[in-house]
Structure formats: structure tokens, C-alpha cells
Amino acid sequence: MSRQRSRDTDVEIALRRMLFAAGLRYRVHRRPVKGVRREADVVFGPARVAVFVDGCFWHGCPEHATWPKNNAEFWRAKIEGNQARDRDTDARLAEAGWLAVRVWEHEEAGEAAARIKKMVDERKSAKKSGA
């Protein structure tokens, strides 16, 4: 497990390429909110959008998650702990005025990028109009 990449995975890189091609500029692997020790994979500062690319196994994807049979209690606690941390992160970011976007590793990069672009554009236009 120590060889599992936690950043700059193929999925993240594909998503970032699509976001860049769509004309979006972003920061990579940043903490969106000071004092909250959670790092987003892609951050759009002015729009206050933080994107997290979640692995199906590690975050318990409803479509693709598998529950290991060996050391089952450990893995169930680990994955459920990750899910609880994800919910806590989303809530903390929302309190600070940020939008947390979750992208599953199995999602097609182009579709995820289009969804993110729409959210970023909406938040930018809402900010300009003073909403």
C-alpha cells in the first residue's frame, strides 16, 4: 500500500489537462482554508471551489467499492473513517464559503471537467453580480 500514489495520479493529471484545455487556471494540492488541515487536489481560489479526486476503493465508491475479506474490520474502519473525514471536510469548506466538488476516479475526465467548469463559472458570475 505504501506504493499507492496519493497525488498526481493518472486520473488527476487527466482531469487537470481537461480543465486547462477548457481555459481554467488553478492551483494544485493546496489547503483552501487556513487552519483546516485538508488538501484539495485542484483549487480555484477566486471562485472558492476545491476539487477532490477520490479513489473508488479508498473512499468507498457506491458503484465500485469492494470490501476486502482479509483484515475486514480494519479496512471497513479505514474506509468509513475516510468517508467521515470527507463529509467533515465538505462541511468545513462550506462554512468558510467554499464549494467542495468530489470526482470519483472512474468518472470520465471530460465530463468531470465540464461539471467543474460550470460550477466555477457560476460562482465567478455570482461573485461579480454581488450575490
Side-chain angles (χ1 to χ4, degrees), residues 5-21 26 28-29 41-42 51-53 103 105 107-110 112-113:
R5 298 181 94 179
S6 62
R7 54 191 308 162
D8 297 331
T9 63
D10 293 341
V11 176
E12 281 183 42
I13 291 170
L15 177 64
R16 293 194 316 234
R17 283 185 177 144
M18 296 300 246
L19 292 169
F20 193 87
Y26 48 83
V28 178
H29 297 289
D41 298 310
V42 179
V51 179
F52 299 86
V53 180
V103 175
E105 72 176 334
E107 287 185 60
E108 198 275 314

Side-chain angles (χ1 to χ4, degrees), residues 40-74:
D41 298 310
V42 179
V43 176
F44 299 94
R48 292 183 163 230
V49 175
V51 179
F52 299 86
V53 180
D54 293 340
C56 290
F57 175 77
W58 296 105
H59 296 269
C61 170
E63 288 181 46
H64 301 106
T66 57
W67 296 102
K69 290 179 180 37
N70 292 335
N71 209 359
E73 287 181 36
F74 168 81

Side-chain angles (χ1 to χ4, degrees), residues 105-119:
E105 72 176 334
H106 68 263
E107 287 185 60
E108 198 275 314
E111 291 174 12
R115 181 167 53 99
I116 293 165
K117 181 174 177 20
K118 182 180 177 197
M119 291 178 199

Side-chain angles (χ1 to χ4, degrees), residues 23-127:
L24 296 173
R25 300 302 176 254
Y26 48 83
R27 299 284 181 221
V28 178
H29 297 289
R30 295 280 173 100
R31 291 181 182 169
V33 178
K34 289 182 179 164
V36 178
R37 294 187 56 206
R38 309 285 163 71
E39 186 178 274
D41 298 310
V42 179
V43 176
F44 299 94
R48 292 183 163 230
V49 175
V51 179
F52 299 86
V53 180
D54 293 340
C56 290
F57 175 77
W58 296 105
H59 296 269
C61 170
E63 288 181 46
H64 301 106
T66 57
W67 296 102
K69 290 179 180 37
N70 292 335
N71 209 359
E73 287 181 36
F74 168 81
W75 286 110
R76 184 167 291 277
K78 173 71 175 160
I79 293 167
E80 288 175 350
N82 289 347
Q83 291 171 330
R85 187 182 61 241
D86 292 344
R87 287 189 299 274
D88 180 62
T89 298
D90 295 352
R92 287 176 183 235
L93 291 178
E95 275 180 25
W98 284 74
L99 174 64
V101 178
R102 298 275 169 186
V103 175
W104 289 108
E105 72 176 334
H106 68 263
E107 287 185 60
E108 198 275 314
E111 291 174 12
R115 181 167 53 99
I116 293 165
K117 181 174 177 20
K118 182 180 177 197
M119 291 178 199
V120 169
D121 290 345
E122 286 173 359
R123 294 199 40 121
K124 280 183 181 178
S125 64
K127 189 176 180 180

